[in-house]
Amino acid sequence: MALKEGNQKEKTLRCQLDTGATCNVMSVSDFKRIGRLIKPSRARLKLYDGTTLKPIGQAKLRAEYRELELELEFQIVEGQQMPLLSADTCTRLKLITLNTVNQMQVKGLTTEQIVEQYSDVFEGLGCLAGEYHIEIDESVKPVQHLPRRVPVPLKAELKEKIEELEKKKVIARVTKPTDWISSMVVVKKATKMRIKDFP
């Protein structure tokens, strides 16, 4: 995406789409390649892990993507973070589409009728087509957690759950040592069992 400040020469930056974000975010090092004018910001950014981050300021940049041109506000932060585009920006730039069910269409329908009419929404594991590339920070030291104890009454059900996930190819069996080992936490709710990865 091409970005510029005022009459400055535009720069092309690769951005990450974050449909969970409510604002656009850019590192100060990336911003310095594009503009100079940073205004004070009163925002507090809440990160995925629950912590908060205070931006060093905010800036307005002109963004061009294909035939679209928008003025976007970015929160400027310390660090080496790839620029993030919020859900609203992604929608306005037509990078994503938001599909909703019209409430008038489902008014008066039973749960069974809704599930039958929109069966494609309730089937499968929510997998996306294609492959996803994950960038790994090689400077981060691998963590190897010790196994957590599983209550004896849950062991048989846990084994069945793991075998089910393996058959569905959600997880894969590992038979040799790995650099990273995360703790597994078993949560039993009513008739369902959930397996969580504990960082």
Side-chain angles (χ1 to χ4, degrees):
M1 185 170 66
L3 294 161
K4 66 177 180 178
E5 178 187 74
N7 296 321
Q8 300 289 330
K9 188 176 179 181
E10 67 180 29
K11 300 280 186 183
T12 301
L13 279 185
R14 190 177 176 190
C15 300
Q16 183 176 338
L17 313 185
D18 188 349
T19 55
T22 55
C23 64
N24 305 306
V25 180
M26 181 182 292
S27 70
V28 67
S29 58
D30 279 332
F31 177 74
K32 284 179 179 177
R33 294 170 50 200
I34 301 167
R36 297 179 180 84
L37 186 60
I38 298 180
K39 296 181 178 179
S41 173
R42 302 173 109 184
R44 289 289 185 279
L45 307 182
K46 188 172 183 180
L47 307 183
Y48 69 92
D49 61 358
T51 60
T52 57
L53 174 68
K54 186 180 186 323
I56 63 171
Q58 61 187 23
K60 288 190 175 178
L61 298 172
R62 202 76 192 161
E64 289 183 23
Y65 181 73
R66 295 184 177 170
E67 304 85 28
L68 297 172
E69 188 173 336
L70 298 174
E71 185 176 64
L72 301 177
E73 185 173 81
F74 282 85
Q75 297 298 323
I76 311 301
V77 298
E78 296 282 4
Q80 298 300 316
Q81 150 110 29
M82 180 186 286
L84 292 181
L85 300 181
S86 69
D88 178 64
T89 296
C90 292
T91 305
R92 290 169 64 198
L93 288 172
K94 297 183 179 177
L95 295 165
I96 62 169
T97 56
L98 182 63
N99 298 311
T100 57
V101 176
N102 189 330
Q103 289 186 346
M104 294 302 294
Q105 291 178 302
V106 298
K107 192 174 182 181
L109 297 178
T110 65
T111 302
E112 291 76 17
Q113 289 171 324
I114 293 171
V115 171
E116 184 179 348
Q117 188 168 341
Y118 302 98
S119 59
D120 59 316
V121 177
F122 301 98
E123 292 175 354
L125 295 169
C127 297
L128 299 176
E131 294 183 358
Y132 183 77
H133 176 70
I134 300 175
E135 295 288 341
I136 298 174
D137 186 347
E138 300 293 344
S139 65
V140 177
K141 186 180 178 181
V143 175
Q144 296 181 333
H145 290 172
L146 292 173
R148 287 174 167 251
R149 289 189 176 184
V150 177
V152 174
L154 297 180
K155 283 189 176 182
E157 189 178 347
L158 174 60
K159 185 180 177 184
E160 287 179 13
K161 184 70 175 177
I162 290 173
E163 288 172 353
E164 176 193 336
L165 293 173
E166 190 179 354
K167 283 178 184 175
K168 290 181 178 178
K169 297 187 178 179
V170 174
I171 60 174
R173 183 184 294 269
V174 177
T175 57
K176 58 184 180 180
T178 61
D179 293 334
W180 289 86
I181 302 174
S182 296
S183 299
M184 179 184 69
V185 179
V186 180
V187 180
K188 183 70 187 282
K189 291 188 176 180
T191 58
K192 289 187 177 180
M193 172 178 280
R194 292 183 60 196
I195 300 174
K196 294 184 176 182
D197 178 31
F198 191 82

